[in-house]
Amino acid sequence: GKIVVTASGVHDPASPGGGVGVPATLGDLKGFEEQGRMFDMVDGGEFNADKAYKDSKLCNVLFTRELQRRLNSSPSTNGIVANCFNPGLIITTGFFRDQNPAFVKVFEFGATKIAKVTETPEWGGAALTYMATSINSQGEYYTAPAGSSKYGEDAFGREFTKTMVSQEAQDDKKAQKLWELSEKLVGISA
């Protein structure tokens, strides 16, 4: 079996999108640990919508890596593959629906026509299909340079490849702690 998790390049503060605004960081997971289900931010800080999105994608990468570790530790699940991927910046999906419409139009024009860093919903879906049908590595993150949808499906395995995750996403102890705190938050602690 295969498990594919949607992540994003913004999980990495060193990436172009991750470097804009407040960067992703989970700190010591103080929000989860001290505030439980009523946390505002995983790191315990004040709510920031942009950072919350980036943090959620960092959580997805850590979740994927810890899930794969746990799958590999059991003979009954050892053959299951878990990976995550970045479908790219897809503006036309309604993701920006709560933003100022004038900002959205300007951003869409700039990102799509001038910077050419967006992807189409079809390409994002094809990336998911590629992950589910062609990738057999375990616990990895796949992405492509911005604007790779211009190559169509030829990008898969060429531009769209396994990529190193952020420094924080490589922290196995943090991934394990996030998993355990998440179990506690949803009431399924072992």
Side-chain angles (χ1 to χ4, degrees):
K2 291 188 180 180
I3 299 166
V4 180
V5 178
T6 303
S8 172
V10 300
H11 87 275
D12 185 354
S15 74
V20 176
V22 181
T25 181
L26 307 181
D28 60 3
L29 306 170
K30 186 171 135 183
F32 268 10
E33 203 160 30
E34 295 179 2
Q35 299 167 0
R37 290 183 184 182
M38 301 305 293
F39 75 95
D40 286 326
M41 297 294 290
V42 176
D43 65 1
E46 289 186 32
F47 182 76
N48 177 294
D50 179 52
K51 183 178 183 311
Y53 177 77
K54 292 173 184 174
D55 286 357
S56 75
K57 298 308 176 182
L58 175 56
C59 286
N60 287 357
V61 175
L62 287 164
F63 165 83
T64 302
R65 297 184 73 240
E66 179 63 13
L67 174 61
Q68 188 64 67
R69 186 189 71 76
R70 288 170 181 259
L71 290 169
N72 287 345
S73 70
S74 170
S76 64
T77 57
N78 195 7
I80 299 174
V81 171
N83 288 300
C84 56
F85 79 109
N86 172 19
L89 176 59
I90 303 172
I91 295 176
T92 57
T93 60
F95 182 73
F96 294 98
R97 67 186 160 274
D98 294 325
Q99 299 294 326
N100 178 312
F103 163 79
V104 174
K105 287 290 182 196
V106 170
F107 181 76
E108 182 176 355
F109 180 80
T112 304
K113 303 293 185 199
I114 297 171
K116 299 183 191 283
V117 295
T118 60
E119 311 300 351
T120 65
E122 294 77 16
W123 195 83
L128 173 59
T129 301
Y130 178 74
M131 293 295 298
T133 60
S134 301
I135 300 299
N136 292 310
S137 61
Q138 297 183 339
E140 302 291 350
Y141 169 71
Y142 286 75
T143 190
S148 290
S149 62
K150 67 185 171 204
Y151 302 113
E153 292 190 13
D154 290 340
F156 302 124
R158 196 177 66 193
E159 285 81 15
F160 186 81
T161 59
K162 180 170 60 172
T163 306
M164 183 69 73
V165 296
S166 72
Q167 283 295 119
E168 189 168 359
Q170 294 175 45
D171 186 339
D172 293 337
K173 288 186 187 326
K174 185 172 281 187
Q176 185 174 1
K177 184 176 179 182
L178 177 65
W179 184 284
E180 291 165 357
L181 288 170
S182 297
E183 281 182 324
K184 200 170 163 186
L185 285 174
V186 299
I188 57 170
S189 294

